[in-house]
Every structure is written in C-alpha cells, then in structure tokens.
Amino acid sequence: MTSDPADPSDPTSPEGQALQQRRFMHLRWDLDKTYLRTEFDTVKDLIKTFRQKAEDKIAVAGASALLRALLDPRERSHRRVTFISGSPRQMRKVLTAKLALDGVEPDMFILKPNLENLLRGRFRAIRGQVGYKLKALLLSHMAAEHVDEYLFGDDAEQDAFIYSVYADILAGRVDAVALAAILSTCKVYRGDVDEIMAYHRQLFGSGEVVRRIFIHLERRSPLDRFAGYGARVVAIYNYFQGAAVLFEAGALEPRGLIAVTEAMESEGYTPERLANSLQDLMRRGVLHFGTIQKLSRELAAAESTMGRPVPRFLHAFEDAVGALENLNRPGPRWEAEINYLGIYHEARFRRQQHRFLGIRLLD
Amino acid sequence: MAHIVLDSCAGRDGGREALEAAAIASLQLDHQITVVGDESAITDALAKIAHDAERLRVAHARDRCEPDQDAADVLRQAPRNSIVVGLEIAARDPSAVFVSAGAPGTIVAGAQQILNRIPGVPHAALAAVYPTLRPHGPVSDLFALLLDVGATVECSGDDLVTFAAMGAAYASKISRIDRPRVALLCNGHGIANAPVRAREAHRRLLAAKPAFEYVGCIRADSVTSGDADVIVTDGFSGDVLLRTLEGVAATGESLLRRAAEKFQWRVGVQMLSDGISAIREFTDWENYGGAPLLGFGRAVVVTQADSGRRAFLNAIRLGAKIDRLQVIAAVSEGVAAFHGLSGPPRAPAPDPEAT
C-alpha cells in the first residue's frame, strides 16, 4: 500500500486552484456501453448497431452532460478529449454525427480497423481489445508538463485492465519485462507488441498522469472485481457518481455537477436514486461527507438563484447520509503494484468457470 | 414504486440470503430497497454481489437481536436493532413495506411501539396463505388466507371480528374476490362447543351483515377444502394449525424420500416426478412470500426464520403488490366499514399475564 500517488494538491487552496487552472486535462472515453447505450451481445444486435442512424443512437444518462461540462468553452483551450472505440472505422461518420448532435467535438477519434483485421486473418484482434486499445492510448498520449488524464470505460470489456496498464506504464511501474509478459499472456499479435514496446520506451516513467479511471458498470458487475486495481479505478453505476468524484477532485465545477444532476433527472432518475448513488460512494469510502455537504450547499444556492426544484434532492441526500453511522470511511488503497497477470487469469477463469464442456458448474 | 425496507439480520446464513435477495431485487425490480443491518458488514458483502446501487440504500442498525430472545428483552437490551430501525424508516414513508425474518414477537412488539394502529383494530393479526383444493376468486387463486397465525395469542371476540374484516379486505384486494367467504375456525361439530370468544364473534358476524360473506364455522379438517377464502382464529390456534399443515407437507416429502429404499418404488416415484415436483412447488412455503402483519398503518411482511433467497424475493414481491394495490388503505376502510355496521370495538381486555 502507498499513499495516494495521484492525488493532486488541495484544489480548494489558492495555490491548488492556480495549479488546477494551469493543468491540461485529457479525457479518454470509450464509446460503446460507456458513452453510448449499445447492445452487441448477439449478431442481431451488432447488425442493428451498425445500421443505426446518428439520431437513433442513445447516450448513457448523464454522459453527454458530464462531457459537455468537462469541456466547458471557458476551459476548452486546455482540455482535450479522445475517443477510443472498438467500433469499426466504417462507423466514423455516424458516430461523429452522434457526438455532434450531443454537442461534443472530439479532438481525436480512434476506431478499430476491424475490416483490415478480418482481411489479414487477424481474428484474435477483432475480439481482443488489449493490443488495440493500449496502442491507441499510448499513441494519443499528450506529452505536456502538467496534464491530468481521466479515463472512462465500462465493465463489458477489459477497460479497467487496459487503462491501468497504460497508467502504470506512464507512472513507471510496468517495466518492459512486465509489459512483455502481459502482452504475451493476452495473446497480442507480434506487430502490435513491437509497436507497444516502442511506445513504452518513449513514455515509460512520464509521471503520475492518470488521476482516475471510471468504469461504468453497464453490466452491474460486482465491485470486488475492480478491487485489485486500487483506488485509481472507480466503478460507477451512473455518471452522477462520476461527476461527484470529479467535483470532489476539483476537476468539475459546481455548475457542471448541477448540469449532470439535471440531465439525470430529465432521464427519469429520481432524487432517491441519485441519493442512493451518493450513499454508495460514501460507503465505499470514495466520496467524503464534506463533499456531500458542499454539494448540498451548491444545490441550495442553485435553487435560490435559478429557482430549480432542489429541496427533494436535498431531503433525499440528507436521508441517505443520515442512515449511516460511519460518515467518513477510509477509502480504498492506492495499489503500488497491481498483479496484472493474476487479474487477467482470474477474469479468464471467471468467464470459463460457468461452463465446462457445456455443463453448468457454478452460479 | 414501492419502498421495500428489508431486515438483513435474520434469515438463512445469518441474513446473507436476505442481502442476496435485496441485490437481486435491485437488479430485477423497479423499487427503492433499503437494507437494514450492520452497514459495514453489508457494504463488504455487497461488494461481492452484483447489485444496482441506484436502487439500494443501506440503513445502519447498531444492535443485533437474537432470534430466540424475548421480545421485551430485545427492545430493552438492543434498542437500535434492525427491526426497530426498519420499522422507524417504514413509519416515515407511506409507500414503505417492512420485510423481516426476525422473531414475529419482536416484530409485533416493535410495530406496536413505532407504527400507528389502524383505527378500530385492537390487536394485530399475522395472515398466512395456504394451498386449498378449490380455487378462489376470478383469478383462480389456489391459496386461502388464515389469520391470525401468531401475532395475538390471547384474542377476544372483538379481535376475531376485526380479523375477519381485515382478512376479507386483504383477500378482496390480493385475490380480487368481490365478496370473500369468511369462516371461523372451530372445534367439534358446531359453534356450541367453541370457546366464548368464538361464540361471541360468531354472533356478531351473523348479526352484522358485513361486506363479506360469513359462512359460519369450519373445522380444521376442512381448511384445505377451499370452502372459505378467509379463515379466522386466534394467534395460538392459527400458529398450531399452520405448523400442522407444514408438518404434514414435510412428512410427505420424507415419505417420498423413503421410496428410495425399494427399486420398484424408486421407479414409480421417478415416473411421477413431474407431478411430485408440481405438488412440491404448490406446498413450498418459500413460494408464498411471507405473512402480512395486518392492523398497522404500514405494510409489514414477516417471513419464516429460515427464509432463503427465494422466500425473501417473494416477500419483496408481495410487499410491492401490497403497496401497488393499496391493500393497507383497503384494510383500514374494511375495518371502518365493519365497525360502522356493528358498532365500535370495546377496549381491549387487560392481559391476565401482565404484571
């Protein structure tokens, strides 16, 4: 266990605020099941997704509001957003149009060369994500002196794994030998391995750049599944939770948090659901009681200035927080060394243990 | 959307299965679920279970009550136990339904302290469903209602007629029976041999001409025939009757297991396996969803002490149904209408065992 290596200086102090303003923020988003509500569990779903028009695609509740808030025009000059998606390159036009409809303009948009992989007979690369995403992350890394990266993925794929490897390469914790072992275990193609190792030589030990990795629990996976990654990975049930964590870190302005809250409400989220979400973060030690108080003050101020129907939210928050005894639980540990191979094999075993020769073994 | 307040300190595996049921319900049902218990232990356990934290809240209960403890002792020695905390949450929220596998005595005592009683109800009744041969109502519900099964052991005639009104109102909502047939559980061949409280209740029910159909007395051997939709008795006899029915079902199961002793019997049982499974499903108490505690202004569902995931899930579903159909309001109206016809109930008689 180590102290929080990614914790920026106190954002509430004047020095902290000045530093916060000087820093670049690089947002990395996955698309399917992270930003977009996409179904691709069956071939039918895949075909449907491929044929969907931009206006038919639906963003996950609060995702576009959060992204717009983070890319506030006042801050845009030192904010950057890169989308890295496993969707085929042929979908670029429709996906760009969807983002434009949501008012999001990506600085970089990386899509997977699935057709090329198919034609070259690289079938593992069509389904596999480790080689493709890790390479794309390293390729699009923004070399700047003060940069904070916030990564967004989901639990349907290996985003927590890939993002953490990337973060630890930059932090100098995954050396060439360890990386080679990881890539070999993940059966990454030789060409991709060479390219990743070349990036590794350039970027290894760049610094503690990745502040948080948000994993949207689209499949509602158990939280324990992400415990091995330490506090840097924050599993979230919705983007209100993500906004609250970013608000606590000083990366999101109060008006941004209010915008996300309103967007969630318009998507049918009741004050109780949002309050439950806050309580969940508090119980996990991810969010502190002081943040809830600050958030309540901001919401109350927003009500008095803009006449929003806030009291129901405040009442629900008080109720949810009041139901707890330990209001300031120590947060999860920041792991100094993540056992990537162990996590990989555990996940692989988990996927396989349900069936053996078609026979159901475990629930 | 109902608010289910689930006590996670009782049930199979020390309440672990209650928590698993809450997690499954949070994923499958669109209800607000509050799990009451040791917050730290619940949070640790939830981390290992797939759940939807948007629909799940945890309320901390500092004290833990043991299932075999006396109700008065529990409330005195463990004042912030999960039953008390859960009932307090339920008392604050009109859409709340409290579900617990805790000791019925503690739940009744806690409810008497914390929840408002429905006007005109001197004592609460625990209502259990049991399978019958004849279907009930337009939805062909195969289950009839038996109350009280343990909430009020010493009953008066007033209690029994109020139970009749409450049970009929409950059955009219849950089984959609316009005019439920209500019977009094009696011994022997007629009311003449029944105890004073039953004779008094019989007389008042005959005289009242209530919104339900009073069909008179019914003997214990006719309970499963389905001649009555609601059977009313005191908490002591009701509990004995219910346990007897469950015991008979369990004995049947044991007898079937003995069939494994002979090869021919085993083959016979195998050939009948579909039918046996259907009967097993039909008589399995875990499918019933617990017993509603009637008489309070909030819905309370009591499940058996060894309830597992399925029993809790069905209890949650029953609780949500009670909320959706506004059953508590219907029970309240049913009691008011009955007492409007037969006059207000007398004050409850003093408990002879009270010191």
Side-chain angles (χ1 to χ4, degrees), chain A residues 146-199:
Chain A
H146 298 294
V147 62
D148 293 333
E149 287 199 23
Y150 292 95
L151 282 68
F152 295 81
D154 59 72
D155 61 341
E157 290 163 351
Q158 294 166 296
D159 289 344
F161 182 87
I162 300 164
Y163 289 173
S164 295
V165 171
Y166 166 71
D168 277 347
I169 289 173
L170 300 182
R173 280 192 289 271
V174 170
D175 60 20
V177 176
L179 182 61
I182 292 168
L183 297 177
S184 160
T185 305
C186 298
K187 295 190 174 74
V188 176
Y189 280 105
R190 183 76 225 169
D192 290 336
V193 171
D194 291 343
E195 280 185 69
I196 291 166
M197 295 310 283
Y199 284 125

Side-chain angles (χ1 to χ4, degrees), chain A residues 289-300:
Chain A
F289 180 52
T291 308
I292 310 274
Q293 287 177 309
K294 201 174 155 195
L295 165 63
S296 298
R297 281 199 300 274
E298 295 292 351
L299 279 171

Side-chain angles (χ1 to χ4, degrees), chain B:
Chain B
M1 191 177 76
H3 177 191
I4 307 294
V5 183
L6 182 70
D7 172 11
S8 74
C9 290
R12 210 173 288 160
D13 205 2
R16 164 86 188 187
E17 297 217 7
L19 193 59
E20 287 175 0
I24 295 167
S26 74
L27 292 167
Q28 292 181 352
L29 310 172
D30 186 20
H31 301 303
Q32 161 79 4
I33 295 160
T34 298
V35 180
V36 190
D38 179 351
E39 181 270 310
S40 172
I42 292 171
T43 300
D44 290 347
L46 277 178
K48 297 176 180 65
I49 313 170
H51 67 280
D52 188 349
E54 291 175 357
R55 289 185 169 80
L56 201 80
R57 187 176 293 186
V58 177
H60 182 67
R62 202 175 49 226
D63 302 327
R64 192 176 176 94
C65 50
E66 298 306 322
D68 47 359
Q69 242 180 324
D70 180 66
D73 289 347
V74 169
L75 298 178
R76 200 171 42 246
Q77 291 165 7
R80 302 303 298 159
N81 66 64
S82 53
I83 292 172
V84 169
V85 173
L87 286 168
E88 283 176 355
I89 295 168
R92 289 196 296 271
D93 184 354
S95 67
V97 179
F98 180 61
V99 177
S100 176
T106 311
I107 297 170
V108 173
Q112 278 168 350
Q113 279 187 10
I114 296 160
L115 302 179
N116 290 327
R117 212 173 290 168
I118 290 173
V121 178
H123 291 108
L126 205 49
V129 292
Y130 62 92
T132 59
L133 297 174
R134 199 195 299 172
H136 304 261
V139 289
S140 296
D141 192 346
L142 285 167
F143 298 94
L145 196 71
L146 174 69
L147 79 168
D148 170 29
V149 292
T152 307
V153 175
E154 293 288 345
C155 281
S156 64
D158 271 336
D159 287 322
L160 294 179
V161 293
T162 312
F163 293 172
M166 291 199 296
Y170 183 88
S172 68
K173 277 284 179 184
I174 294 286
S175 305
R176 289 194 247 159
I177 306 169
D178 279 345
R179 204 170 148 76
R181 292 161 300 156
V182 178
L184 272 176
L185 184 68
C186 290
N187 55 335
H189 294 281
I191 194 67
N193 297 327
V196 176
R197 57 174 180 273
R199 289 207 300 269
E200 187 196 336
H202 177 72
R203 181 183 53 76
R204 288 183 59 189
L205 286 167
L206 277 179
K209 296 191 174 44
F212 51 86
E213 183 186 348
Y214 177 58
V215 295
C217 290
I218 193 166
R219 275 191 342 198
D221 58 354
S222 306
V223 159
T224 51
S225 67
D227 291 340
D229 305 312
V230 178
I231 295 179
V232 175
T233 186
D234 62 89
F236 180 80
S237 312
D239 192 27
V240 170
L241 176 61
L242 192 68
R243 302 284 166 196
T244 309
L245 292 170
E246 284 171 5
V248 169
T251 308
E253 282 269 318
S254 303
L255 287 171
L256 277 175
R257 258 180 248 125
R258 280 202 204 166
E261 286 171 9
K262 278 191 178 178
F263 177 73
Q264 296 98 310
W265 292 1
R266 256 203 320 270
V267 172
V269 168
Q270 193 60 41
M271 288 170 78
L272 291 169
S273 60
D274 282 354
I276 291 167
S277 296
I279 292 169
R280 198 174 278 154
E281 276 290 299
F282 184 54
T283 54
D284 187 354
W285 60 267
E286 290 216 58
N287 289 334
Y288 302 166
L293 179 64
L294 302 176
F296 297 103
R298 292 286 182 275
V300 175
V301 177
V302 181
T303 63
Q304 297 222 22
D306 57 342
S307 291
R309 243 177 315 187
R310 191 155 45 94
F312 278 111
L313 262 176
N314 286 322
I316 290 170
R317 288 198 181 99
L318 174 67
K321 190 174 179 184
I322 288 173
D323 176 66
R324 191 178 71 246
L325 299 176
Q326 301 281 300
V327 172
I328 298 303
V331 168
S332 185
E333 284 163 18
V335 171
F338 181 82
H339 288 313
L341 288 169
S342 70
R346 292 170 220 153
D351 184 351
E353 288 182 15
T355 51

Side-chain angles (χ1 to χ4, degrees), chain A residues 220-285:
Chain A
R220 299 297 190 241
S221 301
L223 297 166
D224 247 18
R225 211 162 277 183
F226 306 97
Y229 297 108
R232 188 170 48 203
V233 170
V234 182
I236 52 170
Y237 289 88
N238 54 54
Y239 284 108
F240 176 69
Q241 288 192 322
V245 174
L246 289 166
F247 174 69
E248 181 170 89
L252 184 68
E253 294 288 318
R255 61 174 177 274
L257 182 58
I258 291 167
V260 175
T261 310
E262 286 179 340
M264 303 287 290
E265 194 195 8
S266 68
E267 293 267 358
Y269 273 75
T270 60
E272 284 71 30
R273 275 175 83 180
L274 297 182
N276 295 344
S277 306
L278 281 185
Q279 200 215 45
D280 168 63
L281 289 177
M282 272 188 74
R283 285 189 284 109
R284 283 153 56 189

